[in-house]
Amino acid sequence: MGSSVTSKLRAVLFDRDGTLVVDVPYNGDPDLVRPMPGAKAVLDALRSEGIATGVVSNQSGIARGLITPEDVAGVNARVEELLGPFDVWEVCPHAEQDGCQCRKPAPGMVHSACRKLGVPESQAALIGDIGADVRAAEAAGATGVLVPTPVTLPEEVADARLVAPDLAGAVLLLQEGR
């Protein structure tokens, strides 16, 4: 990754569950956090290039009363223990029917993360495992990359412009595509 790429790609945001860590639905237990294969190496490489990293995560379990904001904070702290520090965290605590502007596929969390990082959306990317992640990125003017898992729907894969087999492949696509 040369300096020409670094000057264009300044931030990579990640979905949390199913992308950075193994998805445990409505997880409120830090002991259940397991990094996805290769996540730490990818994050370390981005950080060594001076590229900002962040997490944008829908956590509707808060609105549904299944987990508390404190539970989510504890899980997020464990994610950082295992994967290193992130420059920004964005969590949407709302349920789908709340009609908020932050819940992916709405672009709110991407806009907020970029604002906090001082990075224009055009120089940011969002890597996630479902179509809502890619749509949130695109709605915000960022680049979306889909890394499918068994829960990713075939139509989400078909609709995504950039699809990679894993996190390392996603970053490679971002480096090649800019």
Side-chain angles (χ1 to χ4, degrees):
M1 204 164 140
S3 58
S4 61
V5 173
T6 309
S7 65
K8 291 179 187 165
L9 181 65
R10 293 180 49 205
V12 180
L13 307 173
F14 295 85
D15 169 56
R16 191 189 81 182
D17 302 317
T19 301
L20 285 176
V21 299
V22 175
D23 188 14
V24 176
Y26 309 115
N27 184 22
D29 183 353
D31 291 338
L32 297 179
V33 174
R34 298 284 177 272
M36 291 294 270
K40 177 98 169 72
V42 165
L43 290 162
D44 289 347
L46 288 169
R47 291 177 184 123
S48 74
E49 292 282 347
I51 294 174
T53 59
V55 180
V56 289
S57 183
N58 288 351
Q59 293 293 329
S60 66
I62 296 172
R64 296 177 183 169
L66 300 169
I67 50 177
T68 67
E70 293 75 24
D71 292 335
V72 172
V75 168
N76 290 348
R78 181 65 178 145
V79 171
E80 286 209 327
E81 276 178 37
L82 295 168
L83 296 177
F86 290 88
D87 297 296
V88 66
W89 281 86
E90 295 288 334
V91 173
C92 169
H94 307 108
E96 207 167 331
Q97 61 272 20
D98 291 343
C100 65
Q101 289 306 299
C102 45
R103 182 177 170 81
K104 296 175 292 184
M109 287 193 289
V110 177
H111 286 309
S112 179
C114 288
R115 197 166 44 248
K116 289 174 183 173
L117 294 170
V119 171
E121 286 81 347
S122 62
Q123 295 180 355
L126 170 56
I127 299 173
D129 65 321
I130 61 171
D133 299 314
V134 174
R135 293 197 305 277
E138 290 172 353
T143 302
V145 184
L146 186 69
V147 178
T149 68
V151 303
T152 311
L153 302 173
E155 56 267 29
E156 292 174 327
V157 178
D159 288 347
R161 196 171 56 83
L162 297 173
V163 181
D166 53 27
L167 289 174
V171 172
L172 202 60
L173 273 180
L174 290 169
Q175 293 166 348
E176 291 169 349
R178 289 180 172 261

